[in-house]
Amino acid sequence: MRQNIYDDETFFTGYRALRDTADNFNNLVEQPALRALLPPLGGKVVLDLGCGFGDLAAYCVAQGAARVTATDISTRMLAQARERNALPQIEYVKSAMEDLDFPPASVDLVVSSLALHYVADYAGLVRKVAGWLTAGGDFVFSVEHPICTAQKADQTWLRDEAGRKLCWPVDDYSDEGRREFGWYVPGVIKYHRTVSTLLNGLMEAGLAVAGVQEPVASEETIRRLPEYAATRRVPPFLLVKSNKPEGN
């Protein structure tokens, strides 16, 4: 069974409220960095894996993409996407990303925002992505940073008696696999992988790693929202850009 936690009513209600708040980690840290990694999009055919509300798909269209196939396993998320970002260039498809099938060399860009850590078979999905890409095409994605997914229990900052953050505990880092976290509801399943596994999986599929980022909040954001200074101590996201060499 593929996990579909975003169709849980309690989870979805909490997540939607979070994303509808302008000052959130996606808007202020993850999305600016991810969008900066994207290639020029004029005339490109794009596949968005785990599209959520469709904001990234709509951004690709605004940047000139000719067509975007935006996929998600969640009926609730796709309903929001069709309401918020109903554009003729976007086709929304309900499917787990592991179950998708596209013709070889049919997509110029595959992009995924904070979704691959829900996939059990990362290497298998990456091989499929490599096959879908045209020669010279790009695969750009973000995941929760492995130092965050490594934990085997709901554990956050270690604090002193006054509640001040001392350090972020990192444990069981090399023990990859399934994790269960509490986030709005108990039992949210994610899959922890090391940085080396994420990068080597791309190269083993024939893709070349073209960029890696661990974005943090800007100084302006930290001045306005001091709690975002924590991103400079513990990067919340890992972003990777890879491409399919010409001739492959």
Side-chain angles (χ1 to χ4, degrees), residues 68-139:
V68 181
T69 301
T71 73
D72 205 287
I73 194 173
S74 167
T75 299
R76 291 179 184 270
M77 296 294 275
L78 288 173
Q80 289 289 304
R82 293 186 177 105
E83 178 181 326
R84 299 175 185 222
N85 293 295
L87 298 172
Q89 299 94 331
I90 303 176
E91 177 188 7
Y92 290 107
V93 175
K94 185 181 186 303
S95 175
M97 62 186 79
E98 305 97 308
D99 299 332
L100 292 168
D101 190 21
F102 294 98
S106 60
V107 179
D108 300 309
L109 168 68
V110 178
V111 65
S112 182
S113 171
L114 299 176
L116 295 187
H117 46 252
Y118 295 118
V119 173
D121 185 7
Y122 168 78
L125 178 62
V126 170
R127 288 193 297 270
K128 292 177 74 171
V129 168
W132 298 333
L133 284 173
T134 57
D138 296 290
F139 180 29

Side-chain angles (χ1 to χ4, degrees), residues 143-162:
V143 292
E144 291 189 19
H145 201 289
I147 66 172
C148 298
T149 59
Q151 303 171 41
K152 288 187 174 179
D154 291 326
Q155 186 177 12
T156 57
W157 291 89
L158 297 181
R159 299 174 183 267
D160 63 16
E161 295 81 358

Side-chain angles (χ1 to χ4, degrees), residues 18-58:
L18 171 68
R19 291 305 304 269
D20 284 344
T21 302
D23 290 335
N24 62 58
F25 277 88
N26 299 78
N27 292 344
L28 297 178
V29 181
E30 184 259 350
Q31 277 296 296
L34 183 67
R35 295 177 182 189
L37 284 177
L38 298 179
L41 293 175
K44 295 291 181 68
V45 175
V46 179
L47 171 61
D48 184 356
L49 300 176
C51 67
F53 292 160
D55 295 336
L56 182 55

Side-chain angles (χ1 to χ4, degrees), residues 141-217:
F141 67 87
S142 64
V143 292
E144 291 189 19
H145 201 289
I147 66 172
C148 298
T149 59
Q151 303 171 41
K152 288 187 174 179
D154 291 326
Q155 186 177 12
T156 57
W157 291 89
L158 297 181
R159 299 174 183 267
D160 63 16
E161 295 81 358
R164 292 183 292 262
K165 295 174 180 176
L166 295 174
C167 63
W168 180 267
V170 177
D171 199 2
D172 298 306
Y173 181 80
S174 295
D175 186 7
E176 298 182 307
R178 174 177 167 142
R179 303 287 198 266
E180 289 193 13
F181 297 89
W183 187 30
Y184 300 120
V185 297
V188 177
I189 299 168
K190 301 176 185 176
Y191 292 89
H192 167 65
R193 298 177 180 92
T194 63
V195 173
S196 58
T197 291
L198 292 168
L199 300 184
N200 286 332
L202 296 167
M203 292 183 284
E204 289 164 4
L207 301 176
V209 175
V212 179
Q213 289 195 17
E214 299 164 293
V216 300

